[in-house]
Amino acid sequence: MLVAEDHPMFRDGLVSLLRARRGTRVVAAVGTGREAVLAAVKHQPHVAVADLRMPDGDGTWVNETLRERTPAVRVLVLTSAEDDRAVQAALAAGAHGYLLETAEPAVVLAAVTAVADGATALSDDVFAGSSRRLQGRGRTARPFPELTDREFEILEQLADGRSTEDIALRLGPSPKTVRNLVSSVLLTLGARDRTAAAAAAHRAGRGGSVRPDQ
């Protein structure tokens, strides 16, 4: 486990929390994005818990660099930034989870476990905020105008019941990129999982079922 957080007291508390988790070994605790990348390359941790706001650059750069240089490392963002743009940018850059720093310790540990097991973990606060903002927006001629054209293509594929691998073959991006796009679609729609996203697409006039793979 790698921890990247620039506030020493919060970093120390997070390290203590993670070390109390059975089977967890914290291989490095750093305070800058550059240190996070160097530590990840050196130690190859399974999970990195990283803030978005660090002295030498934003977490999006860190996520993108980790994705390029240490693709096996799964990143859980733990930050105070809760706006939709920050969340979507982090997921698009390769993050596998997004929590607010106000999350309870048990929630942090559950998210770490989920990300380590290959799932995507979103803070309830982030999820609820995205849902409320989505519900407050008006409709236009195309369903789900909040989605980019690429994300809308992904949603159509989900509504047709296609797996990550099928979508990658049809649309061209790598399976990992597809998974990142699916995460962004779920967040924007306020959908808990692929089944919920497919149901939303169906209600908007798209048919099909969905496979619950990641």
Side-chain angles (χ1 to χ4, degrees):
M1 191 80 62
L2 166 66
V3 173
E5 165 61 53
D6 64 320
H7 294 288
M9 289 184 63
F10 189 83
R11 182 173 66 241
D12 291 345
L14 184 56
V15 168
S16 295
L17 175 68
L18 293 173
R19 282 178 172 161
R21 176 178 178 265
R22 179 178 297 179
T24 297
R25 184 168 67 95
V26 178
V27 296
V30 300
T32 70
R34 182 175 181 276
E35 289 173 337
V37 171
L38 292 175
V41 171
K42 178 180 179 180
H43 298 287
Q44 296 292 318
H46 186 43
V47 175
V49 181
D51 192 0
L52 277 183
R53 296 168 174 169
M54 287 184 280
D56 58 343
D58 63 29
T60 300
W61 171 82
V62 174
N63 288 334
E64 290 174 340
T65 305
L66 290 179
R67 181 175 62 186
E68 293 172 0
R69 299 186 62 183
T70 56
V73 177
R74 297 181 60 79
V75 179
L76 171 63
V77 170
L78 183 61
T79 184
S80 60
E82 58 180 310
D83 58 288
D84 287 348
R85 184 172 298 180
V87 178
Q88 292 176 21
L91 294 175
H96 302 90
Y98 198 106
L99 286 187
L100 300 183
E101 290 178 344
T102 53
E104 294 291 332
V107 174
V108 175
L109 292 177
V112 167
T113 298
V115 169
D117 289 343
T120 298
L122 296 178
S123 163
D124 284 343
D125 291 338
V126 169
F127 176 82
S130 177
S131 297
R132 286 194 300 270
R133 284 184 280 272
L134 178 65
Q135 291 166 4
R137 294 169 183 167
R139 290 180 175 270
T140 64
R142 194 197 83 174
F144 311 114
E146 295 81 6
L147 299 177
T148 66
D149 290 343
R150 192 58 155 172
E151 290 169 345
F152 188 72
E153 288 180 328
I154 294 292
L155 178 60
E156 289 187 307
Q157 299 298 312
L158 294 180
D160 287 337
R162 296 196 172 93
S163 68
T164 294
E165 290 71 21
D166 290 339
I167 296 172
L169 287 173
R170 284 174 173 271
L171 301 184
S174 69
K176 185 171 183 178
T177 297
V178 170
R179 284 190 287 271
N180 290 337
L181 286 167
V182 168
S183 295
S184 183
V185 168
L186 298 186
L187 177 67
T188 302
L189 296 186
R192 282 288 188 184
D193 52 30
R194 288 171 171 239
T195 301
H202 179 78
R203 289 193 296 270
R206 292 285 300 151
S209 57
V210 65
R211 301 173 190 171
D213 72 308
Q214 297 296 323

